[in-house]
Amino acid sequence: MFLVASGLSIIFGVTRIVNFAHGSFYMLGAYIGYTLVQAIGSTAIGFWAAVLIAAVAVGAIGVVMEILLLRRIYRAPELFQLIATFGVILVIQDVALWVWGSEDLVGPQAPGLKGATSILGKPIPEYDLALIAISPLVLVGLWALFKLTRWGTLVRAATQDRQMVAALGVNQRWLFTGVLFLGSALAGLGGAVQIPKGGADLLMDFNILAVAFVVVVVGGMGSIFGAFWAAVLFGILQTFGIQILPNSTLVLMFLVMAVVLIFRPWGLLGMPETLGQAHPGPPEQPLRPALPRVRALGGAVTALLLALPIGHLVFPELVGVFTLVLVIEIMVFVLFAAALHFIMGPGGMVSFGHAAYFGGGAYAAALLVKFADAPFELAFWSAPVGAALLAFLFGWFCVRLSGVYFAMLTLAFAQIAWAFVFQDMPGSVLKTFGIADEFGTPLKITGGDDGLNDIWPSGWASTRIAYYYIAVGLSVAALWIMRRFLYAPFGYTLRAGRDSPLRAAAIGIDLTRHRWLAFTLSGAFTGLAGALFLFSKGSVFPTTLEIARSFDALLMVLLGGVQSLFGPIVGAAALTWLNDLFSVLSYWRFLLGVTIIALVLLLPQGIVGFAGTRLGRRLQLARPEEITA
Amino acid sequence: MRSSKAFLTTTGAVAAIAAGVAFGSASAAAETIRIGDINSYTRLPAHTVPYRQGAILAIEEFNRSGGVLGRQLEFISHDDQGKPGEAVKVAERLFARDEVVLISGSLFSHVGLALTAYAKKSKRLYIAAEPLADALVWAQGNRYTFRLRPSTYMQAAMLAAEVAKVEKAKRWATIAPNYAYGKDAVAAFQRVLTELRPDVEFVGSQWPALFKIDAGAEVEALKRLEPDAIYNVTFGGDLAKFAREGKLRGLFEGRLMVGLLTGEPEYLDPLKDEAPEGWLVTGYPWYDIETPEHKVFVAAYQQRWDDYPRIGSVVGYNTMLAIKAMLERAGSTDTEKMVDAMEGLSFDAPTGPITFRAIDHQATMGAYVGWTALRDGKGVMVDWKYLDGVGYLPSDDEVRKLRGGQ
Amino acid sequence: MSGAQHECVPVLEVESLSRSFGGVRAVDRVSFTLFSSELLAMIGPNGAGKTTCFNMVNGQLRPDAGAVRLNGRSILGLPPRSIWRLGVGRTFQITATFASMTVRENVQMALVSYHRRSRALWRPARDHYFDEAMTLLERVGMDRQYDRACGVLAYGDLKRVELAVALANEPRLLLMDEPTAGMAPRERMELMQLTTEIVHERNIGVLFTEHDMDVVFAYADRIMVLDRGQLISEGPPMAVRSDRKVQEIYLGGSAVYGTEPA
């Protein structure tokens, strides 16, 4: 845990890249380590050599990613690298499946450390002792590397002030490459040393990623010692947590993170983010009324959307039922992405946990239908209201933080919300008050993993075409309303707070309250998307609140272009459509990953950045002065 | 890397079928009967790919012998990414674009439940193959949904009935992944065992997060409870870690260990020589099943895929057998007629005769219960017996209560 | 200075303001009064406590002891935004404007906030206080560039925009931290000339810090000199220039004079 987290921490500290592919490197470390251990690991020396080679190999892969991919997009807007690394995740997943097959690989035990030693009367596996020794060793090694070598000094300097190091004439490129090597190798090492404890499977990447982020954030971004102590803390919590509250395993970590962030917004040993480092890319263009061409395009798309069902009735061959289904789904995600962009773009608040409001809204409506027999019309509107209330509650804590810490706190709350429905906590709570079924089993309220099923719109809205008009009509209306909000003083105030918090305070703006209100509004719109999703699918599950769902939305916004109001719309439509197009093929993840990476490299401003290219200007999609790098 | 090679071949084959249909749409021969398949091929390939291989094997056999109702069958397979919402979308695509007559498949309970709700709303036939959730045919059951594999309740009941015979096992502890399946599995086991043996006591439960088990800590916590017997529901990587730590830390010594699904090759085989010994489990001892039907199935499967069958393989094969029998009985691909034909449908499968009960649409397919042992450095089941599902299903009265007004 | 037609009333009164950082007295019992229509310069070598003093007046820092009154009302412990509401405009050493907005929008934002319309959700922002913003921009000579993005503006122009923004709340007091830092010498004089005119027109009191002694002696009505947290001299420019203690600091430690980075 520490190894992986420290790698992530180092990469972030120096390059400010939130490396989602870190979990994949961990998984690769495990797979490569497994293969090598099978080949040469029968002796103790061979085993440890295999582990080290695996780490170095994964480090090399990290370097390849840096040189081929990340290096080209350092100048892109903040967090854009995140999508690139997401593409890498998808590619690595399919490559691993292709190379190592689908079966879980159970690692062999480490030679020489197969048994258990008795300590204080308890048998402790010898390999555990070895692991306990490795982490401090690595910690000391890293400490020496950073304190005693010139390279280490530069890395530390870069963590604190990048411009300064650049000004000193240090070749940043190689510094970053080196850091990516080290960070990735640590992830690979982490993956390889855990083979005898577990093995290698295809779900490792996401499983470790969330944990690593939590450890890094609790420890403080960029602080290796912080990561170490956080890892130790969680190790202890895990052990005692299991004994005291066997049911708490899922939330404990995120609860701790939320508490730490609320009281120590920069983690245990972290430092506040330096102001003025935020924007490496060119500043955003001022908001202008849409150009006639763009307006016409928007009108045409809306008209087309409205005409589609008629097309379906007249030419069923040309416009199939599934086209309508797909458009409904696209509109749901367009709305979701636009709602996220509402705070992320103009507000500068990057939420990693927006699925909480998507799923939260859907659950609010579903619960009302299930337990209060609410009619569709009422239940539907309870979704945005419920999501807004949830956002109002969580937002109060979140909006006080900024940057990555804001993102991680939103993630923590989303995970808590997820665990809440996943473990059916309302049911457990009722049980403690003696309310349970005849066998003493907790009542099913949220239904846990099995979700809430069979929730459909009422008669008049249940035909496909009627629901299509509901979905399209509400999404378009919501998008238009959000656009009004952003063009109104409120939206400007949000952007003011993002551009210069200092100036915003100096002209009397209470930024916290505005951000809080924006968060709540965004939650409401996200909840609306959740309601549309719920009633189009007929059921709701904890998967609507999970991390992957939050990341989907994030990806849509970034891929479309965070600097434009059209970005999230285009990004969501493109990603949903691509997903549908590819998912009928095997190895679709590989294809999708490659496509994402290609888009990132070709259009570093997002898809909508296309409008700013020469061709886009010739087509009069952007003003001549809106030149992008 | 045997399985990986086989996997590649399958994917290639299916991709060809799927791609041809997805883009060629209605132009393909109108003669064929299309069967839509939805499963989590990217999320849990280790379990779903054997399923698909079993299903394809059956389809190919049918087509070689002239098809069904004089028409060839076509198997159109799509990935649901392990997301219920995606599965519903895929179902819509299969019906609308690929013009399948029914959908089948799925492994995850939540995906199965989402498709159950969808089947009810859209009045299309859905034959759930593997999802274990009890609610699928009971609390959430509906006219258009059928399930083949024995549910969580049935398998837990089988184990409970077996261990009820062990006199000395009085103090029980349980360990199960912290989600619906784990909780249902523990609840069902507790319920049935307590009914059979009022003298047993459940002293504690451990709930590790799914695929995030901290095995060392869990084992220590279980030891502290000092149970006579432990009921395990963990599987996959969690089981591997639990089995290893438990052995190292001496948890299993002198205790009766019971494992739900632990004997299925999907879970037992990755453990290799570290497979637990002497556990009472449900599973699939394909290597020792000597009935002629089953031997034929194993031979055909190995020849076709260069791999041995898993539980998923036989479920996939049986599902297609059920569909064939149903189509022949219905004589039509009209949904209502197919549903009528499904109710009370009986057919012979490699694992023995199976009936889809009319009252709740649950099949009577049973499970193999036996003891784990090591053979040639590999975990196997010995002293096993096949328990027909009939004996472990809720009574008609109970079913009526569970299904409510439906 | 001429042109002080308005009545001179105390705008800002500071009494024995103190603040320590870890045992070091950064500001030690500093007292002064600022009158309307007056430009008061605060100078002193690096580390003298100018910035600390400044930040205590504008609400960013809490003093350990002392009193700060604006128009006779205590503003101690109020956050910056509340102090702004009471009529205090600010400019920063490194300009702080909204880069993604046009010049006019920057001023409109300040006006929107002043009129408490920042939570308005419907009518487009560009229709709010359009004419008022243009009038202010005209006054600072930025009306012709009103539609350019602040992100692409020349530094000197940004300073003017900031001045216009600072005037949006009809301030009684203007706090200017190094108003001419980073500018060419001619631009400096132009900006200070403009500031002086506006201040006299609108009867505003100005407290500013400045490194450029030419600017200070040309435009300040009064000068206070801080050294090691203490006020060592205060008075009209001529008096301060001839103060021996001041000369000691600046001439004795001549290295400080004018060598600091802007």
Side-chain angles (χ1 to χ4, degrees), chain A residues 114-130:
Chain A
K114 285 194 180 179
T117 314
S118 196
I119 295 176
L120 299 174
K122 281 184 199 158
I124 308 276
E126 284 166 2
Y127 194 74
D128 283 21
L129 296 175

PDB file of all heavy atoms in Angstrom, chain A residues 114-130:
ATOM      1  N   LYS A 114       7.966 -19.534   3.506  1.00  0.00           N
ATOM      2  CA  LYS A 114       6.663 -20.155   3.332  1.00  0.00           C
ATOM      3  C   LYS A 114       5.913 -20.345   4.634  1.00  0.00           C
ATOM      4  O   LYS A 114       4.686 -20.418   4.656  1.00  0.00           O
ATOM      5  CB  LYS A 114       6.814 -21.521   2.659  1.00  0.00           C
ATOM      6  CG  LYS A 114       7.123 -21.370   1.186  1.00  0.00           C
ATOM      7  CD  LYS A 114       6.935 -22.665   0.445  1.00  0.00           C
ATOM      8  CE  LYS A 114       7.266 -22.439  -1.014  1.00  0.00           C
ATOM      9  NZ  LYS A 114       7.141 -23.609  -1.839  1.00  0.00           N
ATOM     10  N   GLY A 115       6.622 -20.445   5.697  1.00  0.00           N
ATOM     11  CA  GLY A 115       5.981 -20.826   6.952  1.00  0.00           C
ATOM     12  C   GLY A 115       5.479 -19.639   7.743  1.00  0.00           C
ATOM     13  O   GLY A 115       5.347 -18.542   7.251  1.00  0.00           O
ATOM     14  N   ALA A 116       5.200 -19.943   8.982  1.00  0.00           N
ATOM     15  CA  ALA A 116       4.783 -18.896   9.887  1.00  0.00           C
ATOM     16  C   ALA A 116       5.646 -18.955  11.130  1.00  0.00           C
ATOM     17  O   ALA A 116       6.056 -20.028  11.554  1.00  0.00           O
ATOM     18  CB  ALA A 116       3.318 -19.080  10.251  1.00  0.00           C
ATOM     19  N   THR A 117       5.957 -17.804  11.687  1.00  0.00           N
ATOM     20  CA  THR A 117       6.749 -17.761  12.907  1.00  0.00           C
ATOM     21  C   THR A 117       5.814 -17.398  14.041  1.00  0.00           C
ATOM     22  O   THR A 117       4.861 -16.649  13.857  1.00  0.00           O
ATOM     23  CB  THR A 117       7.832 -16.679  12.806  1.00  0.00           C
ATOM     24  OG1 THR A 117       8.463 -16.807  11.551  1.00  0.00           O
ATOM     25  CG2 THR A 117       8.844 -16.811  13.907  1.00  0.00           C
ATOM     26  N   SER A 118       6.106 -17.929  15.174  1.00  0.00           N
ATOM     27  CA  SER A 118       5.237 -17.632  16.299  1.00  0.00           C
ATOM     28  C   SER A 118       5.764 -16.409  17.046  1.00  0.00           C
ATOM     29  O   SER A 118       6.898 -16.389  17.509  1.00  0.00           O
ATOM     30  CB  SER A 118       5.169 -18.838  17.223  1.00  0.00           C
ATOM     31  OG  SER A 118       4.084 -18.693  18.085  1.00  0.00           O
ATOM     32  N   ILE A 119       4.968 -15.374  17.092  1.00  0.00           N
ATOM     33  CA  ILE A 119       5.359 -14.194  17.856  1.00  0.00           C
ATOM     34  C   ILE A 119       4.279 -13.937  18.885  1.00  0.00           C
ATOM     35  O   ILE A 119       3.101 -13.812  18.541  1.00  0.00           O
ATOM     36  CB  ILE A 119       5.523 -12.972  16.936  1.00  0.00           C
ATOM     37  CG1 ILE A 119       6.694 -13.206  15.980  1.00  0.00           C
ATOM     38  CG2 ILE A 119       5.752 -11.719  17.759  1.00  0.00           C
ATOM     39  CD1 ILE A 119       6.875 -12.115  14.975  1.00  0.00           C
ATOM     40  N   LEU A 120       4.684 -13.876  20.139  1.00  0.00           N
ATOM     41  CA  LEU A 120       3.742 -13.687  21.234  1.00  0.00           C
ATOM     42  C   LEU A 120       2.610 -14.716  21.165  1.00  0.00           C
ATOM     43  O   LEU A 120       1.443 -14.409  21.395  1.00  0.00           O
ATOM     44  CB  LEU A 120       3.158 -12.273  21.226  1.00  0.00           C
ATOM     45  CG  LEU A 120       4.161 -11.132  21.378  1.00  0.00           C
ATOM     46  CD1 LEU A 120       3.470  -9.792  21.195  1.00  0.00           C
ATOM     47  CD2 LEU A 120       4.851 -11.211  22.739  1.00  0.00           C
ATOM     48  N   GLY A 121       3.000 -15.909  20.771  1.00  0.00           N
ATOM     49  CA  GLY A 121       2.016 -16.981  20.758  1.00  0.00           C
ATOM     50  C   GLY A 121       1.107 -16.985  19.550  1.00  0.00           C
ATOM     51  O   GLY A 121       0.236 -17.838  19.427  1.00  0.00           O
ATOM     52  N   LYS A 122       1.283 -16.007  18.667  1.00  0.00           N
ATOM     53  CA  LYS A 122       0.438 -15.995  17.482  1.00  0.00           C
ATOM     54  C   LYS A 122       1.277 -16.306  16.265  1.00  0.00           C
ATOM     55  O   LYS A 122       2.361 -15.744  16.101  1.00  0.00           O
ATOM     56  CB  LYS A 122      -0.186 -14.611  17.295  1.00  0.00           C
ATOM     57  CG  LYS A 122      -1.351 -14.366  18.193  1.00  0.00           C
ATOM     58  CD  LYS A 122      -1.933 -13.016  17.850  1.00  0.00           C
ATOM     59  CE  LYS A 122      -2.790 -12.524  18.996  1.00  0.00           C
ATOM     60  NZ  LYS A 122      -2.955 -11.094  18.964  1.00  0.00           N
ATOM     61  N   PRO A 123       0.782 -17.174  15.409  1.00  0.00           N
ATOM     62  CA  PRO A 123       1.545 -17.428  14.191  1.00  0.00           C
ATOM     63  C   PRO A 123       1.435 -16.262  13.223  1.00  0.00           C
ATOM     64  O   PRO A 123       0.347 -15.820  12.897  1.00  0.00           O
ATOM     65  CB  PRO A 123       0.869 -18.681  13.617  1.00  0.00           C
ATOM     66  CG  PRO A 123      -0.495 -18.708  14.197  1.00  0.00           C
ATOM     67  CD  PRO A 123      -0.463 -17.943  15.485  1.00  0.00           C
ATOM     68  N   ILE A 124       2.580 -15.733  12.844  1.00  0.00           N
ATOM     69  CA  ILE A 124       2.607 -14.651  11.857  1.00  0.00           C
ATOM     70  C   ILE A 124       3.339 -15.197  10.635  1.00  0.00           C
ATOM     71  O   ILE A 124       4.465 -15.674  10.763  1.00  0.00           O
ATOM     72  CB  ILE A 124       3.392 -13.432  12.394  1.00  0.00           C
ATOM     73  CG1 ILE A 124       2.879 -13.010  13.759  1.00  0.00           C
ATOM     74  CG2 ILE A 124       3.374 -12.303  11.387  1.00  0.00           C
ATOM     75  CD1 ILE A 124       1.695 -12.110  13.749  1.00  0.00           C
ATOM     76  N   PRO A 125       2.731 -15.113   9.465  1.00  0.00           N
ATOM     77  CA  PRO A 125       3.441 -15.609   8.277  1.00  0.00           C
ATOM     78  C   PRO A 125       4.764 -14.878   8.098  1.00  0.00           C
ATOM     79  O   PRO A 125       4.842 -13.663   8.271  1.00  0.00           O
ATOM     80  CB  PRO A 125       2.471 -15.289   7.142  1.00  0.00           C
ATOM     81  CG  PRO A 125       1.144 -15.186   7.790  1.00  0.00           C
ATOM     82  CD  PRO A 125       1.388 -14.661   9.158  1.00  0.00           C
ATOM     83  N   GLU A 126       5.780 -15.665   7.740  1.00  0.00           N
ATOM     84  CA  GLU A 126       7.114 -15.062   7.602  1.00  0.00           C
ATOM     85  C   GLU A 126       7.133 -13.980   6.522  1.00  0.00           C
ATOM     86  O   GLU A 126       7.837 -12.996   6.627  1.00  0.00           O
ATOM     87  CB  GLU A 126       8.134 -16.154   7.267  1.00  0.00           C
ATOM     88  CG  GLU A 126       8.487 -17.001   8.470  1.00  0.00           C
ATOM     89  CD  GLU A 126       9.225 -18.264   8.064  1.00  0.00           C
ATOM     90  OE1 GLU A 126       9.479 -18.449   6.864  1.00  0.00           O
ATOM     91  OE2 GLU A 126       9.523 -19.070   8.967  1.00  0.00           O
ATOM     92  N   TYR A 127       6.359 -14.228   5.477  1.00  0.00           N
ATOM     93  CA  TYR A 127       6.392 -13.252   4.392  1.00  0.00           C
ATOM     94  C   TYR A 127       5.848 -11.902   4.850  1.00  0.00           C
ATOM     95  O   TYR A 127       6.304 -10.857   4.406  1.00  0.00           O
ATOM     96  CB  TYR A 127       5.601 -13.766   3.184  1.00  0.00           C
ATOM     97  CG  TYR A 127       5.880 -12.960   1.943  1.00  0.00           C
ATOM     98  CD1 TYR A 127       7.084 -13.110   1.266  1.00  0.00           C
ATOM     99  CD2 TYR A 127       4.973 -12.022   1.484  1.00  0.00           C
ATOM    100  CE1 TYR A 127       7.362 -12.353   0.150  1.00  0.00           C
ATOM    101  CE2 TYR A 127       5.247 -11.261   0.367  1.00  0.00           C
ATOM    102  CZ  TYR A 127       6.439 -11.430  -0.303  1.00  0.00           C
ATOM    103  OH  TYR A 127       6.726 -10.670  -1.402  1.00  0.00           O
ATOM    104  N   ASP A 128       4.888 -11.946   5.788  1.00  0.00           N
ATOM    105  CA  ASP A 128       4.378 -10.684   6.341  1.00  0.00           C
ATOM    106  C   ASP A 128       5.498  -9.902   7.006  1.00  0.00           C
ATOM    107  O   ASP A 128       5.586  -8.685   6.895  1.00  0.00           O
ATOM    108  CB  ASP A 128       3.277 -10.956   7.383  1.00  0.00           C
ATOM    109  CG  ASP A 128       1.962 -11.310   6.710  1.00  0.00           C
ATOM    110  OD1 ASP A 128       2.014 -11.728   5.545  1.00  0.00           O
ATOM    111  OD2 ASP A 128       0.914 -11.160   7.354  1.00  0.00           O
ATOM    112  N   LEU A 129       6.355 -10.649   7.710  1.00  0.00           N
ATOM    113  CA  LEU A 129       7.480  -9.980   8.380  1.00  0.00           C
ATOM    114  C   LEU A 129       8.394  -9.341   7.340  1.00  0.00           C
ATOM    115  O   LEU A 129       8.869  -8.222   7.519  1.00  0.00           O
ATOM    116  CB  LEU A 129       8.251 -10.987   9.235  1.00  0.00           C
ATOM    117  CG  LEU A 129       7.439 -11.565  10.396  1.00  0.00           C
ATOM    118  CD1 LEU A 129       8.238 -12.649  11.106  1.00  0.00           C
ATOM    119  CD2 LEU A 129       7.055 -10.463  11.371  1.00  0.00           C
ATOM    120  N   ALA A 130       8.617 -10.077   6.246  1.00  0.00           N
ATOM    121  CA  ALA A 130       9.457  -9.522   5.187  1.00  0.00           C
ATOM    122  C   ALA A 130       8.846  -8.232   4.651  1.00  0.00           C
ATOM    123  O   ALA A 130       9.522  -7.228   4.452  1.00  0.00           O
ATOM    124  CB  ALA A 130       9.623 -10.545   4.067  1.00  0.00           C
TER     125      ALA A 130
END
